Amino acid sequence: EAVGTMASSDGLGDALGGGLRFASDSRRADLTHLDIMTIDGAGTLDYDDALSIEQDGNIYRIGVHIADVAAYVEKGGIVDREVIHRGTSIYMPDLKIPMLPNIFSENICSLKEGEIRPAVSLFIKLTRDAQVLHYEFLPSFISVRRKLTYTETDALVETDDHLSAAYAIAKALNENRLNAGAVQIQLPEISIRLLNGNEISVRKI
């Protein structure tokens, strides 16, 4: 069930004018003090997840923060029903058919830098070699402090303590998965763009 639902019966009206009422909801944890970052492609417009890393000695607390769309979209409302009907966003070289209207996905639900947003947060306490000690979910509100691209993150991973720790943990988690029998399928990313209306650009990343 959504915490601090703001949507009206049409799922849109109150969401656009409801302000930050979820921030006063006592059921949400105030996490705006954390150094929370997004890591996405340079052309990303809808930021739906963010990351935080805290260290206490040899123990790390990783926070994964997911945009809480249910704070704006009423269950069973017109937007919710349309989202269920669509199921996913569709990306084509010259067109995007979004699962959510852009006013939601790229605006009020997007975890934009410097903006307070409702979220569902997962905190995981673990060692640097990825041994999980504890985890918990909680409704929250957050404010992203750093908006990073993949390229910027790669450049910072050797000098930023938080990113360096996250990278080491990610490598250990992946190694644990493979040792447990996971199948890893590595495929290149293909970027297809339409230029000047008719020219097609295909690039392997």
Side-chain angles (χ1 to χ4, degrees):
E1 183 178 351
V3 177
T5 297
M6 291 171 22
S8 65
S9 59
D10 66 359
L12 183 60
D14 287 348
L16 301 182
L20 299 179
R21 281 184 281 172
F22 53 80
S24 62
D25 191 323
S26 61
R27 294 172 294 178
R28 287 190 183 273
D30 181 353
L31 304 180
T32 55
H33 63 285
L34 294 179
D35 180 19
I36 295 177
M37 69 192 83
T38 56
I39 304 175
D40 289 279
T44 298
L45 297 175
D46 48 345
Y47 301 93
D48 54 10
D49 55 71
L51 187 69
S52 62
I53 305 119
E54 303 166 87
Q55 183 177 1
D56 183 8
N58 295 322
I59 303 301
Y60 294 87
R61 186 178 185 237
I62 305 291
V64 180
H65 312 277
I66 308 298
D68 188 0
V69 178
Y72 295 101
V73 178
E74 183 183 29
K75 183 176 181 179
I78 188 171
V79 174
D80 185 44
R81 296 197 303 273
E82 183 62 23
V83 164
I84 292 172
H85 175 70
R86 296 189 180 196
T88 187
S89 296
I90 299 173
Y91 297 88
M92 293 172 278
D94 61 339
L95 180 66
K96 172 187 173 183
I97 303 176
M99 183 174 65
L100 276 168
N102 288 339
I103 190 67
F104 287 90
S105 62
E106 296 178 9
N107 191 358
I108 58 175
C109 294
S110 185
L111 303 180
K112 292 183 174 182
E113 184 179 17
E115 300 287 342
I116 295 177
R117 293 289 189 262
V120 176
S121 297
L122 164 64
F123 284 104
I124 313 153
K125 280 189 177 181
L126 70 179
T127 62
R128 197 177 180 93
D129 61 352
Q131 299 302 308
V132 176
L133 306 176
H134 177 72
Y135 67 88
E136 64 173 334
F137 288 92
L138 68 158
S140 63
F141 57 96
I142 67 172
S143 179
V144 170
R145 295 189 181 182
R146 291 194 286 172
K147 182 182 71 172
L148 299 177
T149 65
Y150 296 125
T151 301
E152 290 170 335
T153 304
D154 285 344
L156 290 170
V157 75
E158 297 295 335
T159 56
D160 185 294
D161 290 341
H162 285 174
L163 291 175
S164 178
Y167 181 55
I169 291 169
K171 287 201 300 182
L173 283 169
N174 189 56
E175 184 177 342
N176 291 346
R177 288 183 67 251
L178 295 176
N179 290 338
V183 176
Q184 188 173 41
I185 301 174
Q186 293 183 326
L187 297 174
E189 180 180 345
I190 304 298
S191 174
I192 303 175
R193 295 288 182 268
L194 290 183
L195 307 176
N196 301 322
N198 295 318
E199 183 181 351
I200 299 175
S201 167
V202 180
R203 185 164 58 101
K204 184 174 75 170
I205 301 173

